[in-house]
Amino acid sequence: MKSLFSVLNQKLTTIKFANKTKILIFTIFGGTLLIGFLMFISIFALKYDFEVLFVNLTKPQVKLEEIKDIYQVNIKETLSAIKNHQISSSEGKEVLSLAQQIIKKQWREYKKETNTKVGGLPEFASNWLDFFLLKSDKPKKSEFKNRIISNVEKKIKSIDKKITGIISQLNKQNQIKQLIDNTILETNSINIYLSTLITNNLKLAISKKEGNDRLFNTSTLMLVFLISLSFIFIVLVSITIINHFKVLHYSLEENVNRKTKELSDLNISLESRVKKEVENSRKKDNIMFQQARLASMGEVLHNIAHQWRQPLGTLMMIVQSFETKYEKGKLDEKFITSSVNDALKLGKSMSDTLDDFRNFFMPNRAKQIFDVKKAINKATELSRYQLEKMDIKLDFSQKTTAKIYGFKNELIHVILNLINNSKDVLALNTELKEKKILIITKQTNTKIIISVIDNGGGIKDDIIAKIFDPYFTTKHKSMGTGIGLYMSKQLVERHMKGKIFCKNIKHKFGSQKFYDSAMFSVELPIKESGT
Amino acid sequence: MNKRNLDILSDFSILYIEDEPELLKHTATVLEDFVKNIFAVASCKEALKVLEENKIDAIIIDINLKNENGIEFLKELKFEKDYDLPSIVTTAYTDTEYLLDAIKLKVEDYIVKPINIKELLNSLHDLFLPIVQEREINRSYNTIKTISAVTDGKKVELIKFIIKNLDEKSMFNYSYGDIMEMVDVSKPTVIKLFRELSEKGILTKIQNKRYLFNENNLPKPSED
């Protein structure tokens, strides 16, 4: 048994978890159904046996007893009384006929009751169970019983006849004496028959009871067997499922532990990676700023180169003029004084240009209060040459008197970037006849908005959201690095605590026509408003 | 050959157009010592006015003028206003954007800034030299014609023939007979002239029918 159990257990452990639960459910369901069915069958079968026992075998005995009593008391006693003349003939006649009727009725009822079929569900259950238990058909009523019954019937008839004879010859005392004695004898014999019948019936009942016991035992055994089988199976499956759960639990726990460890490891590595990425991004930003600085440096350098070229040419001319004047003998004091003055002036202006450049690109990290107007003028000055070259007219309203606290160079840089951005857009627009950039300022008590507007047609809707993204550029590679506007945004938002935004507007630029225009605005908090 | 005689510039008037005032002023200051007149202006409009009112011999113009283009102005002068003046352009760029236009306009020189004044003066010299030379030739021709009008015509005819028939080595390969056949002169006149020239070392007899014409022994013409 134990080995079987272990084999079964082993088999079960090999089955999949889902199948195990299915087996468990199936077993519980099937077992319960089977047991319930069997129980119902047994109960109904028992009920049937009981009914048969009671209705067919027990109840009719009462009738037989009554018949027996009637024969014993009414008929036999009455006949004795008639014989001994203890009652009148009429009285006897009445009693006898009454007794006859009662007997007939009782006998009829007896026969009827013994033949009553129980029927219905109990009989069906009993039959089914009999079939199931391979029991042979119910035993036929024994020959013996049948003969007794026929004898009883014969006796009843003969007694009946004799009593009828007695009744009809009641007046002839002597003649019936013999008859009465016969009848009494018959009565005794019928009573013996009846007793035998009762005994027989009781024996039958006893035997039936034995069958019933057997049935009960068998069903009980089967139920017990089924219940214990289901129980064992359920327990078995449950145990394996629990085992499965246990295994699952341990593996899950292990999994969770492993994953937790992995997660914490990942967390640690993520932290370092985030740190690294942040550093990288800072580095990238720095590189980008450097690139942007270089880009605008290039433009400004170009501008300065041009601003240098003219005074340099003049200066060289002055130097050469000394030689020619000397050769011509015209090198007088007047000429020398005026030429030297001019040369010095030119040298000073060149030096100033260099200072502008140096001031603009030296990493001047000291915050200061400065004039917005001057900063904007410086930016326009630095981009003047490029704009002139592309035939772009730049106007600045010069209205503001605001001063802000911060890095002057950064504001110049931002304005320069915006001008350059407009310039690049205008440069691409070949159809436009008059290319214009307008710088206007709007000032309140707490802030100043500097707007750079160009009539280059505005920004397309699909890119307007991306325009401040790093490395976003609509221009050809040779023209833009894509970081001018990004850097401007960073400078404005981080260093100046301001805002930068752009939108498309329509502007007249002082003419009759409305131009589609892009407007970039920088909003900055102001320190004080000069008078 | 490198050392040019810049004195020839002193006969000419020049129009100088440059939008950079300082450069204009100082370049003009240098040029005024060399040329007859320097008209220094900052725009094409002023330049036109100068052209209308004065006799100008050459133009120096900057290509990149404020709102204007020197090449375009030269085109306008040449094709619309019918001024055909020699010109020199100056430019701040080494690019060749306008070079082709300049060549088509037969611009005399293309000077890249900063201006080297020697280069500019040499350019002007080269520009004016043919004019000066043409004038000189004209003058010499007229001188000869005048001399021949007042002196013996036959001698002049003979000298003309000698100079005309010099070979590439300055040799004159003719006999008296040949000369008399081609030029209508008498033999004594030929002999007399040959002797005179021989005495002055101008025409030396190498062998028979072969004479060397010595240019260097010609007397310098008196400058007046």
Side-chain angles (χ1 to χ4, degrees), chain A residues 306 309-318 320-325 327-328 330 335 338-339 342-343 345-346 385 389 391, chain B residues 3 6-7 16 18-20 22-27 29-30 32-34 67 92-93 113-121:
Chain A
H306 183 78
R309 194 170 271 140
Q310 288 192 341
L312 196 64
T314 311
L315 214 53
M316 284 169 82
M317 185 52 69
I318 291 172
Q320 292 176 83
S321 72
F322 276 88
E323 195 186 6
T324 60
K325 287 286 173 188
E327 280 171 1
K328 289 281 172 187
K330 291 185 178 174
F335 172 77
S338 90
S339 290
D342 283 354
K345 238 186 268 166
L346 288 166
Y385 161 63
K389 201 175 144 195
D391 204 16
Chain B
K3 191 76 181 171
L6 296 174
D7 294 342
Y16 179 40
E18 164 66 57
D19 61 342
E20 175 61 31
E22 287 289 312
L23 184 62
L24 182 71
K25 178 186 155 197
H26 287 279
T27 313
T29 310
V30 174
E32 70 182 10
D33 291 342
F34 292 89
N67 307 321
Y93 308 104
K113 282 180 175 178
I115 297 167
N116 183 331
I117 195 69
K118 294 249 166 71
E119 190 188 347
L120 181 62
L121 288 171

